[in-house]
């Protein structure tokens, strides 16, 4: 058996995708709508306020296409907090106008491919690397940004079996992948979270960027990289744009 | 790692497929119907009027089969405009009689396989090529036309891995593909838009033509071309015919 | 690139599968039911009457199993006529008691594998062959018959790539397939219609026969033929029996 | 082309899976429920009574899991009878509390792998074999029994292509399979029915036994047999237990 | 044909996944809610009380993500008891606020890979091993714990065919797998139950642990083990946390 990488885990992540029940919304009396919008905005603002207290982060996105209208992203130190958030949202009047169309449960992860030394002794690595790794484990969501989310796994086919490669081969491939990612530094930031044992694919990838063509470009370029071209298997892709909870009324007004 | 092609992007595209809720429509009072039709026709005409001002294009199609009754195609300079269009349509009374059955988000793309020179210096290529490329990035939708839409990806299997071919091999295959397409010049026009990072497949292909058998013929002939026969993976196909928004009442009357 | 076959196209085909909403039907007042049955029978009879005027053919089938209760098959010279038929059916009172569960859009096709000569000069082939080909393009639906419908494609896998075979290899395989089909002459008639660019598979196959075991036998025997065993990929199969529109009340009565 | 086996067909089979609409049932007035139960019990008893007259057999099963609550199995000499049964069930008041979640249409089949001689001349084989074959074609459903139903096909992959094996190879593999089955004689009885051309897989397999672990054991053991391990492709599995129609009220009471 | 392992079976298992109908819950009058909660808590407590009497075990979990809100796990000596539990739950007022989204039917299993001797003569093995095996067949669910459930099968592909390996090869691979599992002793306990012939995959795996990252770690590490990397095929993963039935009101309050 080949060697599995060591891993460090940070915040748990919930990606909560919802469609709007526009028929119900259109038919709702004005007063009901106002109350629903107030409750939802308060709920979302309260969640996002956490970002300032280092206990996680939350954000709301407007999603394109028929699979979802809204995406709520929540990062929290425990799975239990995520569980409470999804249930308490259902207690708001606004929830009546939404239906869950997809979700993803994962935990931010940094693995030994990035730095063997860090896993032997976190104090042995320089501050920059340590801050980099810790930033990956407790990510902040940029203010005005586009998001792309997709789940992925590594293949286990006869000639394309990631889990059959030696640690060194995998580390080399991940290093090449990382170099490519760094070319997009300043344009794209990404959150990698493992969902092994937690959800249907092995990882959830969340990309943030100011220009959606940068999102397209990085994913396209990486697809030519062996780590993806031979070993990557991808699920559905969702694209959206962040908006502040206070803009929910404008969002619902079309 | 093999070389990824350079790409240029133009308008973003939203393909918005909807089924009609015929039961609700049959039961709606005549006055409700009339109001719904007026609102929808006004909404669609307003969107299509843009075509005259170079800020995008929009069109409405009657789709065959159970997967959709209507297709709205929108091309716009930003993703945000597409997002607003899909939400503002939900504000019309007509939206109550429709349900979204599918959608596709992409961005028109020309890649380095077409012309290396253009990507080095757009001024270095002749006017004809430049206009060709720019026409691909800001496409116009023909007036009276059939449409065929399908999403597709390139394969990454052991013996059929597009992303493992050298740039030259890919450029050769794409050139052959392009030659075949040119044999249908005047009969079929196509819009290629990348959805890498944006939607579930890598590209969305939209074909326009006056005769649906030309659509069948070009797709069939191309399937024998190596770029498709070895490397193409195709999603669902949708076929429809454009009609002017003013004909929506006739469309709904059966 | 290997050579694509020439093709001739005839009538467009719509296979329209519907489930009955038995709960709504059970609850409907007797008068509503009667009106619905009358409207539907008139609608269907009108469509079938066309068969006598060489402008197409239509038939109604009772389908077994949960995926559909009814199948309407329509052959027409244009896609627009099929589009109108599906929408005008929605205008009948009976449509309220049905839901579309599946459909298939295609166009009858004869290809160069059958006869190279016909495609060079239709006049050069003998009357029998010409009538055979024309019968394939403008098919009549037998009166009292079972139907089996299924969509199919040809494989494009590394060792089973139909689109990578030479024209001669494909023509040989199709000839063997045709010989097998002829052994069922008088028992089974079939309509082959291309859906390349029009629907999700490459062809729709409709078999008609007086005995459902003949349907099973021909499909089973053909599965051992290389054209199917190596290169065929099949979708869902639907089986039903034709009944005259006038028998719709009996059909609905159980 | 390799040789297809000869086949003999017997009764047609309909496996009709239904979920209970428990919300509607809970809300129904006592009198409605009683009437529904009486109608359904009478309907089912009438169908099962046929078993005594050699015109088929019918049975009702309580199914585990979310995919179905009830399974009705019907064997009949013609497809038309099955068609009538499924429609006439919809006429009962009880049908309102059920929804069809799955179904399977097939015809009992014995093939030339079992006995070449029988197909040349049924009189040439001994009485035991002839009775065995006829029992397979007109099966009886045991009284108090567990059932497992699953659809299956034979693979047509490059290195695992059943339809590319010689008749002798297939006959050998089927003989080994049959030997294994005979080890469970007295514990498990099975009905094999072809659905080629009739439904989505090639066969429907129905196993009956007094102990569900025998069902698990035979399917597990057979999976190691080459006929399954290399060539078998399996659909969903459903497990349930037979109960007499008179126990329907107890079944619905929980 | 290679040798199938001997197996011993214990309790049958039902994993019953349900989503909450939050809209109906929000709209229900306070008195209805209270009654529903009382009935459900009593129902669940009654089921869990069995654990103390060695006749099975039951537990309730709060599940993350859109695919389910609640998971009820039931282990019982017979399939009939599981069948009664699922139907009698439908008789509670609380069931009206839930919908079944998934389920899994299986039977706990220990196979000859673990100990040949035990299957020859259970008395011949030492008490520790016997208790270990019996604990696997009649599992207890830990009190305060996270759960991960997923179904899986072994592959039967040309180069990755588990069912084509010799018994010794399979036993070696399973031994390596077991060693890995033992490294998580005290942190993760697992229940393996066969669903061959009973449900859609070959086994259901249920992991229990106090820390969800241990769940991720064991599944991830095992994926590098040949038994998984080459031969494992996995379905959907569900993660949740146990709570006592008395906490159902708190759970529903968000």
């Amino acid at each position: 058996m080949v060697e599995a990488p060591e891993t460090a885990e940070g915040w748990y992540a919930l990606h909560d995708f919802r469609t709007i029940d526009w028929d119900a919304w259109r038919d709702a009396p004005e007063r009901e709508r106002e109350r629903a919008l107030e409750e939802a905005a308060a709920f979302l603002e309260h969640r996002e306020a956490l970002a300032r207290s280092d206990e996680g982060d939350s954000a709301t996105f407007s999603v394109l296409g028929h699979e979802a209208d809204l995406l709520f992203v929540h990062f929290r130190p425990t799975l239990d907090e995520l569980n409470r958030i999804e249930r308490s949202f259902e207690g708001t009047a606004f929830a009546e106008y939404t239906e869950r169309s997809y979700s993803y449960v994962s935990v931010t992860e940094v693995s030994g491919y990035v730095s063997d030394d860090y896993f032997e002794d976190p104090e042995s690595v320089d501050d920059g690397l340590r801050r980099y790794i810790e930033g990956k484990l407790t990510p902040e969501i940029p203010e005005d940004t586009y998001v792309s989310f997709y789940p992925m796994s590594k293949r286990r086919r006869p000639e394309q079996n990631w889990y059959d490669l030696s640690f060194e081969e995998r580390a080399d491939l991940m290093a090449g992948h990382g170099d490519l990612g760094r070319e997009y530094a300043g344009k794209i930031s990404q959150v990698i979270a493992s969902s092994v044992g937690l959800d249907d694919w092995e990882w959830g990838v969340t990309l943030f960027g100011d220009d959606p063509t940068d999102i397209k470009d990085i994913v396209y370029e990486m697809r030519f990289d062996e780590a993806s071209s031979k070993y990557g298997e991808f699920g559905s892709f969702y694209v959206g744009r962040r908006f502040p909870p206070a803009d929910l009324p404008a969002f619902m007004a079309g």
Side-chain angles (χ1 to χ4, degrees), chain A:
Chain A
M1 176 184 155
V2 299
E3 194 191 340
E6 291 197 79
T7 57
E9 292 79 26
W11 288 342
Y12 289 86
L14 176 68
H15 290 70
D16 188 354
F17 293 87
R18 293 182 182 254
T19 52
I20 303 290
D21 180 349
W22 292 107
D23 287 355
W25 184 253
R26 235 179 275 110
D27 293 351
E30 190 56 32
R31 242 173 56 190
E32 293 274 325
R33 289 195 194 200
E34 273 169 29
R35 198 183 113 234
L37 288 171
E38 275 163 32
E39 268 192 42
F43 179 90
L44 297 170
E45 272 161 8
H46 184 65
R47 296 300 161 296
E48 299 198 10
L50 278 175
R52 287 187 287 270
S53 55
D54 288 329
E55 292 173 15
D57 203 353
S58 287
T60 303
F61 300 84
S62 168
V63 179
L64 281 109
H66 72 299
E67 299 198 68
D69 292 303
L70 285 170
L71 160 62
F72 304 131
V73 177
H74 303 289
F75 297 115
R76 288 296 182 284
T78 68
L79 213 47
D80 295 4
E81 283 163 275
L82 296 177
N83 195 346
R84 269 197 301 273
I85 288 172
E86 62 176 329
R87 275 181 293 117
S88 57
F89 179 76
E90 295 294 355
T92 69
F94 185 72
E96 190 164 340
Y97 304 103
T98 72
E99 269 155 52
R100 302 185 77 173
S101 55
Y102 189 57
S103 68
Y104 212 76
V105 177
S106 55
V107 59
T108 58
E109 185 190 70
V110 169
S111 77
Y113 304 133
V114 170
S115 160
D116 263 346
D117 297 342
Y118 177 84
F119 285 92
E120 277 172 34
D121 176 8
E123 299 305 312
S124 72
V125 304
D126 64 79
D127 275 18
L129 179 58
R130 206 165 51 236
R131 270 201 305 272
Y132 169 81
I133 287 173
E134 281 156 15
K136 290 288 181 196
L137 297 178
T138 58
E140 262 177 68
I141 305 171
E143 280 301 317
D144 181 26
T145 187
Y146 291 92
V147 68
S148 171
F149 173 80
Y150 58 94
M152 63 165 293
S153 293
K154 290 296 190 189
R155 287 180 176 162
R156 293 178 288 110
R157 300 178 183 179
E159 293 171 63
Q160 297 178 323
N161 193 338
W162 177 260
Y163 291 93
D164 211 24
L165 299 178
S166 71
F167 182 88
E168 287 67 33
E169 286 172 296
R170 281 176 277 128
D172 277 0
L173 288 167
M174 290 311 289
H177 220 58
D179 291 345
L180 235 168
R182 264 183 296 280
E183 289 175 24
Y184 285 84
K187 291 200 277 188
I188 295 289
S189 62
Q190 57 180 307
V191 177
I192 308 295
S194 172
S195 45
V196 175
L198 306 177
D199 215 320
D200 297 359
W201 298 74
E202 294 171 352
W203 289 275
V205 178
T206 315
L207 305 179
F208 299 111
D210 287 344
D211 184 342
T213 63
D214 288 334
I215 290 174
K216 184 207 69 142
D217 286 343
I218 189 173
V219 180
Y220 190 40
E221 206 172 332
M222 283 196 166
R223 198 142 298 180
F224 289 90
D225 186 50
E226 222 179 308
S228 292
S229 72
K230 291 203 176 145
Y231 301 106
E233 204 70 83
F234 302 95
S236 289
F237 286 77
Y238 299 84
V239 68
R241 183 167 191 175
R242 186 169 183 180
F243 68 87
D247 288 0
L248 190 66
F251 170 86
M252 293 301 294

